[in-house]
Amino acid sequence: MKIYDISQEIFHSKVFPGDPIPKKDAVLSLEQGDPCNLTHLELGSHTGSHMDAPSHFLAGAKTIDTIDLEKCVGLCRVITMEGTVDASDIRFALSDGIKRLLIRGEITISQEAAQEMTSVPIDLIGVEGLTVGPLESPRDVHVALLEKEIVILEGLVLSKVPDGLYWLVAQPLKLGGIDGSPVRPLLLEYER
């Protein structure tokens, strides 16, 4: 069975404008005579390949530690698109009832496409970009999806994954009360 790691390496990942740059500092070092290696990490909750919790844009909403993990594991479709994704693109991609969709390519999900996802409904949407919505104003698309508790994965690396069906495994870290989490998502070849 082939496994695709579709995550970014944290310390070389792009960050959303204004987000913290990830850093690592040695606390203990074998090379310095310490009994082990131990590293202090500093990063934003939306660093690298990551998952958004509803509380990222909605006051009082679910935090990352309360995400329904069943939405993060299961059959998914990978498709390639470019430009603006509209409602008809979503209807076509989800026409067979698939609940998890990963989109490869430089795309922006339109407000109409987000509304279509909420009416289908789906469990999870994933993109390669830093945000599912327009870079200059991502709020409205996020709110539409997160109000319906649709899981959002951003910052994926899908360049080596052919279009098709896969088994997705993408759990966030259990960070209590936080608005998002880095994720190391995997795609496993799907055998019918």
Side-chain angles (χ1 to χ4, degrees), residues 8 14 73 93 145 150 153:
Q8 297 182 51
K14 294 180 185 175
V73 177
L145 298 171
I150 295 171
L153 283 176

Side-chain angles (χ1 to χ4, degrees), residues 112-163:
E112 295 77 19
Q115 291 301 324
E116 184 66 26
M117 283 186 248
T118 66
S119 67
V120 173
I122 69 169
D123 289 338
L124 180 146
I125 181 72
V127 298
E128 291 187 297
L130 295 174
T131 179
V132 291
L135 191 59
E136 63 283 354
S137 59
R139 181 176 172 73
D140 291 343
V141 169
H142 277 85
V143 167
L145 298 171
L146 294 172
E147 280 180 333
K148 297 295 186 178
E149 296 185 8
I150 295 171
V151 173
I152 299 173
L153 283 176
E154 296 167 323
L156 301 177
V157 179
L158 297 167
S159 57
K160 295 182 179 172
V161 181
D163 287 7

Side-chain angles (χ1 to χ4, degrees), residues 10 24 32 36 40 43 55 92 95 98 111 121-122 148 182:
I10 291 286
K24 58 183 173 179
Q32 300 297 318
C36 64
H40 172 262
L43 55 119
S55 64
F92 177 76
S95 62
I98 201 84
Q111 188 66 29
I122 69 169
K148 297 295 186 178

